[in-house]
């Protein structure tokens, strides 16, 4: 079973993906995590994308599609993939459809985590504050300025995917504002009937 978690930054995609990994043996594919790892290890690609990511803009489709293709090839045998933060544009969505088709795999559900924008901003600012207080690294893009750019990128480039997957009959929307376990219960219910 392969699913996409769709939603703006701070909607809880990563949190829900990690729960699904722990509970269902699925594999989280987060392009944000892959790009951050490339940035930290200082690869050529990592250095190329660093400034774009820190500013909150999207990196090119070509780069993220390449990353996903590599992972799909490397991890074929598992309980399914959770695409987290990918696709984020219509060309990425088309590319994912083609990659899965080529592997004879299906996309079983696209779960949209619906949240309210004001709460989103509070969550992200809270995440940065908590990390700082715990002495953990704060994401370079968890600041008010980058956050505004990230939200605008989401509304301009990613939110059209909601209509795209709705028209394909794959979209299920879940209220992302509840407690983590409540949201997880709703996500589980979607998976169990897909
Ligand atoms: P995330 O951890 O998903 O919030 O991603 C952090 C940053 O990585 C984003 O703000 C983008 O700069 C970049 N990024 C992650 N996934 C993608 C994607 N699918 N397409 C383009 N850029 C991405």
């Amino acid at each position: 079973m392969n699913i996409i978690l769709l939603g703006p930054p701070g909607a809880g995609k990563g949190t829900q993906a990690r729960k699904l990994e722990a509970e269902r043996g699925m594999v989280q594919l987060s392009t944000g995590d892959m790009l951050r790892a490339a940035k930290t290890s200082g690869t050529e690609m990592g250095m190329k994308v660093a400034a774009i990511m820190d500013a909150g803009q999207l990196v090119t489709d070509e780069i993220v599609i390449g990353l996903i293709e590599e992972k799909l090839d490397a991890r074929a045998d598992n309980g399914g993939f959770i695409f987290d933060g990918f696709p984020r544009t219509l060309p990425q969505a088309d590319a994912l459809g083609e990659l899965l088709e080529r592997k004879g795999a299906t996309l079983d559900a696209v779960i949209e985590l619906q949240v309210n924008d004001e709460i989103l901003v509070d969550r992200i600012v809270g995440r940065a504050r908590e990390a700082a207080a715990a002495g953990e690294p704060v994401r370079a893009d968890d600041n008010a300025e980058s956050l505004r750019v990230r939200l605008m990128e989401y509304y301009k480039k990613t939110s059209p995917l909601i209509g795209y997957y709705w028209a394909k009959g794959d979209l299920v929307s879940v209220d992302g504002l509840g407690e983590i376990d409540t949201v997880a219960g709703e996500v589980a219910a979607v998976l169990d009937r897909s």
Side-chain angles (χ1 to χ4, degrees):
M1 167 162 277
N2 300 304
I3 66 162
I4 294 173
L5 292 179
L6 194 61
K13 302 184 296 293
T15 304
Q16 294 301 327
R18 284 186 289 277
K19 276 184 92 71
L20 289 170
E21 276 203 313
E23 288 163 14
R24 294 184 182 238
M26 297 176 80
V27 173
Q28 175 193 22
L29 292 185
S30 157
T31 40
D33 285 350
M34 294 173 209
L35 291 165
R36 273 185 292 278
K39 223 178 109 179
T40 309
S41 59
T43 62
E44 200 183 321
M45 185 268 280
M47 289 191 290
K48 200 168 128 190
V49 298
I52 297 170
M53 289 177 70
D54 291 355
Q57 291 160 351
L58 295 188
V59 310
T60 64
D61 290 337
E62 195 188 353
I63 288 176
V64 287
I65 291 167
L67 286 171
I68 286 287
E69 189 169 9
E70 256 172 50
K71 297 282 177 183
L72 284 182
D73 287 340
R75 301 288 303 271
D77 194 24
N78 59 65
F81 292 110
I82 308 152
F83 297 96
D84 161 12
F86 179 92
R88 260 178 158 97
T89 64
L90 291 167
Q92 291 177 26
D94 282 335
L96 178 61
E98 283 163 24
L99 285 174
L100 289 174
E101 197 180 328
R102 218 190 299 155
K103 298 186 80 62
T106 51
L107 183 61
D108 299 286
V110 178
I111 303 178
E112 180 206 359
L113 298 178
Q114 285 185 326
V115 284
N116 155 303
D117 285 335
E118 303 235 347
I119 291 176
L120 215 57
V121 176
D122 289 348
R123 268 193 192 179
I124 294 187
V125 173
R127 173 164 83 189
R129 216 176 276 141
E130 273 170 33
E136 291 165 8
V138 176
R139 279 178 55 159
D141 59 355
D142 272 355
N143 60 74
E145 202 178 318
S146 301
L147 179 55
R148 259 194 303 277
V149 178
R150 283 157 71 199
L151 275 177
M152 191 56 84
E153 290 283 72
Y154 175 78
Y155 283 112
K156 276 175 24 189
K157 299 174 185 167
T158 309
S159 66
L161 298 188
I162 295 171
Y164 173 98
Y165 285 118
W166 181 84
K168 279 179 177 281
D170 293 331
L171 190 78
V172 185
S173 300
V174 158
D175 179 5
L177 282 181
E179 295 291 323
I180 289 173
D181 286 338
T182 311
V183 180
E186 289 189 35
V187 170
V190 173
L191 293 191
D192 290 339
R193 53 170 200 264
S194 291

